[in-house]
Amino acid sequence: MKIYFKEPIEPLKNYVKYFWHTNFERPNHNFFKYNMMADSSPGLIFHHDNGNATISERDGSKLPNAFLYGPSNKPCSNFDNGNSFLYGVVFQPMAIKSLFNIDANLMKNNLLNLDNFIEHNITDKLLNSKKLESIELIFNTLIKKQIRRVEKEDFLIKKSLELIFHNTENQSISNLSSSLKISKRQFERRFNTFVGIPPANYIRVSKFQKSLNLLLTGKYQKLSDIAYQFGYTDQSHFIKEFKSFSGFKPKDLSKNENSQCNFHLLTERIILN
């Protein structure tokens, strides 16, 4: 499977990390299970097979053709039974509150049908778009429109995200609230509203994502090296955290990657200009 990535245009970069698209092609429309790891970034997904929704949850209920999803702090599984086209937008962590004025903590491990809070017929517009360029234009136009409506941003929380990014392994809530000159309780409340998960949980997910990236490079000798590099107590603590956010142990990473059942591990990624 190939996943194509594209960077956002300049006006969108404060809110969008990247765009992506791919096709799931399977003979006989066999069910395909793919796992999603914990991810602190929200996003949008549009998917269909000849106009029909193909992605379903474990209980068989179909997901909307176009939906906004929030940050997640646990792994989950979805299923696909079509030769699906998927197009996605991955946002910066604060985008749900900034762009859509939705308290991000209401979106944790949750999703919303795009038709219900953006434009009533946006799914129809997407389904009627036969070219990739048309779909890109719809999403770019939508995001630009939402940017013009941004009322306020919490620059203190934005600063805290920068501090976490640059020193993930050594960060704590006490250090952050002290650096930002704000009470711990107020900081946690504002962080939850704009990011959607508690700051302590966000730090844990960030450490997991960085350790995952290092695991994928293969540039390490022992798991304990990764554990100590990212501030875990020991190797056992690292393995426990990794499984909590991915659903499997680090030693099983190659098994999940080779089976191509994990969306984050699909190896053939193509960057578009």
Side-chain angles (χ1 to χ4, degrees), residues 109-171:
N109 302 317
N110 203 358
L111 60 86
L112 283 175
N113 188 328
L114 216 55
D115 282 346
N116 292 344
F117 72 100
I118 295 293
E119 296 178 24
H120 181 64
N121 62 344
I122 191 168
T123 296
D124 289 338
K125 289 181 181 178
L126 289 165
L127 290 173
N128 289 327
S129 300
K130 304 304 180 184
K131 295 183 178 180
L132 176 63
E133 292 78 9
S134 300
I135 294 171
E136 290 179 341
L137 179 60
I138 290 173
F139 277 111
N140 273 277
T141 302
L142 166 65
I143 296 168
K144 287 179 183 177
K145 181 179 178 180
Q146 295 304 121
I147 290 174
R148 290 194 294 270
R149 293 179 175 178
V150 171
E151 296 179 358
K152 65 175 182 177
E153 295 190 76
D154 195 322
F155 292 100
L156 183 144
I157 299 304
K158 189 173 183 179
K159 178 64 177 177
S160 74
L161 293 171
E162 294 173 0
L163 292 172
I164 293 170
F165 177 79
H166 291 295
N167 191 21
T168 308
E169 55 275 12
N170 296 314
Q171 280 300 358

Side-chain angles (χ1 to χ4, degrees), residues 21-213:
H21 70 273
T22 189
N23 285 282
F24 282 149
E25 296 182 0
R26 291 169 308 289
N28 303 320
H29 283 219
N30 294 326
F31 267 98
F32 181 83
K33 176 184 177 182
Y34 58 95
N35 303 313
M36 303 296 290
M37 298 183 187
D39 193 340
S40 53
S41 296
L44 295 169
I45 287 181
F46 166 60
H47 66 105
H48 77 99
D49 177 12
N50 292 320
N52 299 311
T54 59
I55 301 178
S56 61
E57 298 186 275
R58 188 177 295 274
D59 63 3
S61 58
K62 295 287 187 182
L63 300 186
N65 281 106
F67 59 87
L68 171 72
Y69 63 88
S72 61
N73 61 355
K74 60 182 181 180
C76 69
S77 297
N78 291 114
F79 301 84
D80 195 308
N81 67 338
N83 292 319
S84 307
F85 168 79
L86 289 91
Y87 187 93
V89 184
V90 176
F91 287 122
Q92 301 289 355
M94 292 174 59
I96 285 183
K97 177 62 175 174
S98 298
L99 290 181
F100 305 107
N101 199 27
I102 300 172
D103 281 0
N105 60 335
L106 300 177
M107 289 294 297
K108 182 178 71 175
N109 302 317
N110 203 358
L111 60 86
L112 283 175
N113 188 328
L114 216 55
D115 282 346
N116 292 344
F117 72 100
I118 295 293
E119 296 178 24
H120 181 64
N121 62 344
I122 191 168
T123 296
D124 289 338
K125 289 181 181 178
L126 289 165
L127 290 173
N128 289 327
S129 300
K130 304 304 180 184
K131 295 183 178 180
L132 176 63
E133 292 78 9
S134 300
I135 294 171
E136 290 179 341
L137 179 60
I138 290 173
F139 277 111
N140 273 277
T141 302
L142 166 65
I143 296 168
K144 287 179 183 177
K145 181 179 178 180
Q146 295 304 121
I147 290 174
R148 290 194 294 270
R149 293 179 175 178
V150 171
E151 296 179 358
K152 65 175 182 177
E153 295 190 76
D154 195 322
F155 292 100
L156 183 144
I157 299 304
K158 189 173 183 179
K159 178 64 177 177
S160 74
L161 293 171
E162 294 173 0
L163 292 172
I164 293 170
F165 177 79
H166 291 295
N167 191 21
T168 308
E169 55 275 12
N170 296 314
Q171 280 300 358
S172 69
I173 308 306
S174 297
N175 288 342
L176 287 167
S177 57
S178 177
S179 298
L180 298 167
K181 296 179 173 54
I182 186 175
S183 72
K184 184 177 176 181
R185 185 173 181 178
Q186 189 178 11
F187 171 63
E188 289 178 326
R189 179 182 59 79
R190 286 166 62 173
F191 196 98
N192 267 336
T193 298
F194 272 86
V195 180
I197 54 178
N201 206 221
Y202 181 90
I203 293 170
R204 289 174 59 207
V205 173
S206 297
K207 287 169 66 172
F208 156 72
Q209 290 174 325
K210 286 189 174 184
S211 68
L212 171 63
N213 289 336

